[in-house]
C-alpha cells in the first residue's frame, strides 16, 4: 500500500500548495513525462498518424505536446480534488436532453469517451443531484486503485469494475441512475467492428446491448475545454437500429468530438491493437 500513502501525501500537498507552487509542480511533472520519460510517446504518435494521416510532422508534435500538457493538468486537478473542481466553469448546453430521458424512469446509459475533463463532468452532474453509476477498469496497483476509487466515490454514487457482475448494471438502471460507460477503447475479440477514423476498430458494444435489453435511453455526452470554461453537450442516440448501427453511431460521435479538439483526447491507449500492430 506504499502507493496509496504516497498519493495521499501528494494529494494533500496539491490541495494546500500556493498557486505558484502548484504551477511549478505541473511544469516539473509535464517535463518529466514528456521530455525525460517520454511516456508512451510512440503510441501517441502512432495513433495520431493513423487517425490524421494527412497532417505534417509539426502538427503531430504540437498536438502531442498539448495532449501531455492537458492530461498532466487534469491528473493533478484530480489528485488535488476538490481544489480545482469547485471553481471550474462547466456550462451545460442542453441538460434538458438528459433530464427528459431520466423522466422516463428507466435509467439512462451515458456513453462517453476518454476525451476532455470527464471526471469534472461527473462531479458537475453530481452537483445537480444526478445519481451516477460508473464502470471503471481495476488498476493493477491496489493502492492506486483504492485512492482513485475514494476520490470518485465523492461524486459517483456507485462504482463498478469492468468485467464484474452484469446484473449490477441492470439494477443501477432500475434505480433510475445514470450509468456511465466510456466506450472508446479496444475491445479485443469481444468487440463489434465499426469504423473509427476510417479504420476497422474493435469497439465495446455493451452500451448498445444493455440499452436494447433494458429499453432505456442511450445518450452520448462530450465535455470540451474552450478557453477557461468547459462545454457539455448531450445527444440522444437512436436505439431502434441494430447493435452494430448503434455502436457505429456513438463511435462516429466520439470521432467528431475528437476532430474538433484532438489535443484533448487520451491518445495513450493502444486503440487499434486488435487490428494493427504497434
Amino acid at each position: 500500500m506504499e502507493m496509496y500513502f504516497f498519493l495521499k501525501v501528494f494529494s494533500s500537498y496539491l490541495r494546500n500548495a500556493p498557486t505558484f507552487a502548484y504551477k511549478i509542480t505541473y511544469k516539473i511533472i509535464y517535463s518529466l513525462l514528456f521530455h525525460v520519460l517520454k511516456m508512451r510517446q510512440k503510441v501517441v504518435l502512432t495513433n495520431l498518424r493513423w487517425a490524421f494521416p494527412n497532417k505534417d510532422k509539426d502538427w503531430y508534435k504540437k498536438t502531442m505536446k498539448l495532449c501531455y500538457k492537458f492530461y498532466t493538468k487534469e491528473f493533478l486537478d484530480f489528485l488535488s480534488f476538490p481544489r480545482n473542481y469547485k471553481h471550474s466553469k462547466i456550462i451545460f448546453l442542453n441538460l434538458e436532453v438528459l433530464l427528459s430521458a431520466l423522466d422516463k424512469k428507466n435509467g439512462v446509459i451515458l456513453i462517453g469517451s476518454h476525451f476532455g475533463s470527464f471526471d469534472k463532468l461527473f462531479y458537475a452532474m453530481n452537483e445537480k443531484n444526478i445519481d451516477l453509476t460508473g464502470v471503471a477498469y481495476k488498476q493493477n496497483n491496489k493502492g492506486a486503485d483504492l485512492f482513485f476509487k475514494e476520490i470518485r466515490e465523492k461524486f459517483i454514487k456507485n462504482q463498478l469494475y469492468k468485467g464484474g457482475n452484469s446484473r449490477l448494471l441492470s439494477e443501477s438502471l432500475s434505480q433510475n441512475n445514470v450509468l456511465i460507460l466510456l466506450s472508446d477503447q479496444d475491445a479485443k475479440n469481444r468487440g463489434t467492428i465499426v469504423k473509427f477514423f476510417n479504420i476497422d476498430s474493435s469497439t465495446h458494444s455493451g452500451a448498445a446491448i444493455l440499452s436494447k435489453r433494458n429499453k432505456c435511453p442511450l445518450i452520448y455526452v462530450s465535455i470540451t475545454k474552450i478557453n477557461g470554461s468547459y462545454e457539455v453537450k448531450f445527444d440522444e442516440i437512436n436505439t431502434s437500429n441494430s447493435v452494430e448501427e448503434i455502436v457505429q453511431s456513438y463511435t462516429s460521435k466520439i470521432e467528431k468530438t475528437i476532430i474538433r479538439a484532438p489535443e484533448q483526447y487520451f491518445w495513450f491507449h493502444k486503440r487499434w491493437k486488435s487490428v494493427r500492430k504497434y
Side-chain angles (χ1 to χ4, degrees):
M1 297 294 284
E2 291 87 355
M3 179 59 74
Y4 174 80
F5 293 110
F6 167 76
L7 289 171
K8 290 287 281 188
V9 171
F10 189 43
S11 174
S12 178
Y13 158 73
L14 290 172
R15 285 197 306 275
N16 297 291
T19 301
F20 79 89
Y22 193 96
K23 289 181 178 178
I24 291 172
T25 304
Y26 155 75
K27 289 179 180 179
I28 291 172
I29 293 179
Y30 160 72
S31 295
L32 179 65
L33 294 175
F34 185 76
H35 294 291
V36 181
L37 298 177
K38 299 183 178 181
M39 189 187 76
R40 288 203 160 222
Q41 279 195 17
K42 289 183 179 179
V43 172
V44 173
L45 192 56
T46 298
N47 282 334
L48 285 171
R49 285 174 172 163
W50 286 346
F52 299 94
N54 298 319
K55 300 294 185 180
D56 60 31
K57 184 178 179 181
D58 289 341
W59 185 91
Y60 296 131
K61 186 175 180 180
K62 179 183 177 182
T63 303
M64 182 167 63
K65 286 183 70 174
L66 290 173
C67 180
Y68 274 80
K69 288 181 177 180
F70 182 85
Y71 279 102
T72 298
K73 177 66 164 58
E74 285 302 308
F75 184 57
L76 291 184
D77 284 356
F78 179 78
L79 292 182
S80 66
F81 180 87
R83 173 174 178 159
N84 290 308
Y85 277 52
K86 286 184 176 180
H87 306 296
S88 295
K89 187 179 180 182
I90 297 178
I91 303 168
F92 288 93
L93 299 178
N94 58 346
L95 184 60
E96 66 276 4
V97 172
L98 177 62
L99 297 180
S100 177
L102 282 170
D103 284 342
K104 297 176 182 177
K105 304 298 181 183
N106 270 346
V108 171
I109 296 175
L110 195 68
I111 279 286
S113 69
H114 293 83
F115 177 91
S117 308
F118 44 88
D119 278 308
K120 287 176 183 164
L121 164 63
F122 306 146
Y123 169 81
M125 291 175 66
N126 179 71
E127 289 293 290
K128 292 186 177 294
N129 298 313
I130 297 171
D131 291 333
L132 305 175
T133 295
V135 179
Y137 282 95
K138 195 176 186 70
Q139 298 291 321
N140 292 328
N141 185 286
K142 291 183 180 179
D145 187 73
L146 177 60
F147 177 80
F148 296 152
K149 188 171 186 289
E150 285 180 351
I151 290 182
R152 290 197 172 105
E153 281 178 342
K154 299 182 189 302
F155 49 88
I156 295 180
K157 184 178 179 180
N158 299 311
Q159 285 198 84
L160 307 175
Y161 286 115
K162 194 164 185 64
N165 190 339
S166 60
R167 178 178 55 82
L168 298 176
L169 303 179
S170 295
E171 283 185 6
S172 167
L173 294 169
S174 70
Q175 295 166 10
N176 204 34
N177 280 8
V178 172
L179 174 61
I180 304 162
L181 298 175
L182 303 185
S183 300
D184 60 317
Q185 294 188 37
D186 185 271
K188 302 179 183 177
N189 59 355
R190 301 185 301 275
T192 297
I193 301 297
V194 296
K195 293 289 185 182
F196 183 51
F197 284 97
N198 206 34
I199 301 170
D200 287 338
S201 309
S202 178
T203 306
H204 290 284
S205 57
I209 295 168
L210 265 176
S211 165
K212 293 182 80 69
R213 182 184 299 161
N214 292 277
K215 298 180 180 178
C216 65
L218 180 62
I219 293 178
Y220 171 68
V221 65
S222 63
I223 178 168
T224 307
K225 187 175 184 180
I226 300 176
N227 298 320
S229 61
Y230 302 83
E231 292 189 355
V232 178
K233 185 179 180 185
F234 299 95
D235 289 297
E236 186 156 6
I237 294 171
N238 182 358
T239 56
S240 64
N241 295 323
S242 68
V243 167
E244 183 177 344
E245 288 171 322
I246 295 170
V247 175
Q248 182 64 73
S249 178
Y250 60 68
T251 301
S252 296
K253 289 182 183 295
I254 292 170
E255 179 181 324
K256 288 178 182 176
T257 300
I258 294 169
I259 288 172
R260 288 193 288 269
E263 73 282 357
Q264 295 184 40
Y265 186 60
F266 198 83
W267 294 104
F268 305 92
H269 293 144
K270 290 184 177 180
R271 177 60 181 93
W272 289 290
K273 62 185 176 183
S274 289
V275 295
R276 291 190 175 183
K277 185 176 180 180
Y278 279 82

